[in-house]
Amino acid sequence: MKNNITTLLLFFLLSAGAISAQKVKQKAPVKKPGSDTVKTIIVSTDQSAKMSYNKGVTDFSKGDYTAALGSFNAAINSNPKLEQAYLGRANTHFRQKDYPNALEDYKMALKLDSNDEKAWYGLGQTQTVLGNKEQAIDAFTHFTRKNPNNGDAWYCLGELLARTNNYKDALTDFSLAISSKPNFTEAYNDRGICNYELGNYKAAANDYRQALTLTKTAEAYNNLGNAEYKAGDNEAAIGAFAEAIVRQPKFPAAYNNRGTVYLAQKNYPEALNDFNKTIEQDSAYSYAYCNRAITEYRMNDLDKAKADCDKAIQLNPQYGDAYLNRGIIEELMRKENDACSDWQKAASYGVTVANDYTKDCK
């Protein structure tokens, strides 16, 4: 049997209570179409259609979407090829959250005028809301080709790419968003998330600090703490998590993350206090139970440590690291059969180091 449990438990601190960036602002900023996508009132010899269209624009600007819809319908009935009316009706459907009909009208507007950048933007918004990521990316890409200085569009593209874990390309798009809109808080924060996921922890910390100069939020401080910890600055991480907690006292992730840093520093009383606080605020937080188990093990309280591993597994039956750590504790308690069973389960859930332990199992 392996007995080097101190080293292994320290190693699995990171996996059992992994600090992960708490992603914020992950929804594409749905810019209200009426603010920049309804075309201006037009005057032409096609009086019936144009008059109805102009009334629709006025109705839309007043927020009377029912009337606007009727006006745009009348315009289209009078002139089925009036592209502006389809765009106006699409925007109206979007405001009414009738996304399928908005989608069809944006497509029709683009069929009539494939160079209408406002229709491409509206189409991108609608595809995003409908969860059609690839189609949304395609629409915003068309928009940015025609309007490369629109920071909101670059942000939408970056956010969509980040959702598909394409952090490298998303990083570029968030940078373009910031170049076009220097005070874009969400873009700094989300670029920080991409840098974090790519292992660029110092760059991530710089992005979060820049976001915090613009808007101070608990989420951004928590993200900063994650990056500082990964970059090796434990004191800065603790300070950032503390700021997050000051701004949002009920923030279990921030308590858990700060507790993990205290645990790495072998400051077990403070770590235990933070994990207790996490569980007090969120009794279903499985990582906190596993982290508390490690802390209790370090404080020589094996019974409590095992009980917390039990709870973590109850909450998350596929929590491989919790099985691994419980197995280590069970070995110390001379429950070798139970330990082997838990290591085997840990291995089955992808904890590869558990295979080193199962080798000695009968």
Side-chain angles (χ1 to χ4, degrees), residues 103-243:
L103 184 68
E104 292 306 312
D105 276 343
Y106 284 127
K107 288 181 177 179
M108 188 61 188
L110 288 165
K111 183 177 180 180
L112 294 168
D113 182 3
S114 62
N115 291 315
D116 189 343
E117 64 186 47
K118 295 177 180 179
W120 282 115
Y121 193 98
L123 180 63
Q125 290 180 300
T126 307
Q127 296 283 27
T128 299
V129 173
L130 291 172
N132 302 326
K133 295 178 185 177
E134 293 303 321
Q135 293 90 333
I137 289 170
D138 180 71
F140 283 122
T141 299
H142 275 85
F143 177 87
T144 55
R145 286 173 185 162
K146 300 174 186 303
N147 191 341
N149 296 316
N150 187 293
D152 291 321
W154 286 117
Y155 177 81
C156 290
L157 261 178
E159 194 275 337
L160 286 161
L161 290 169
R163 288 187 191 180
T164 61
N165 298 327
N166 185 352
Y167 298 113
K168 185 177 179 180
D169 289 340
L171 189 71
T172 299
D173 288 340
F174 289 134
S175 295
L176 288 167
I178 291 166
S179 295
S180 300
K181 192 175 177 180
N183 294 330
F184 204 154
T185 305
E186 294 86 352
Y188 278 111
N189 189 73
D190 286 0
R191 188 173 72 175
I193 290 169
C194 291
N195 273 317
Y196 183 95
E197 296 293 342
L198 291 168
N200 306 325
Y201 301 122
K202 289 185 178 180
N206 287 336
D207 279 335
Y208 295 135
R209 280 193 287 269
Q210 185 62 45
L212 285 163
T213 65
L214 299 169
T215 307
K216 298 186 186 303
T217 66
E219 290 84 358
Y221 275 112
N222 183 60
N223 286 344
L224 176 60
N226 293 333
E228 297 284 20
Y229 176 70
K230 287 289 191 178
D233 192 338
N234 288 345
E235 292 304 321
I238 289 172
F241 291 133
E243 285 289 342

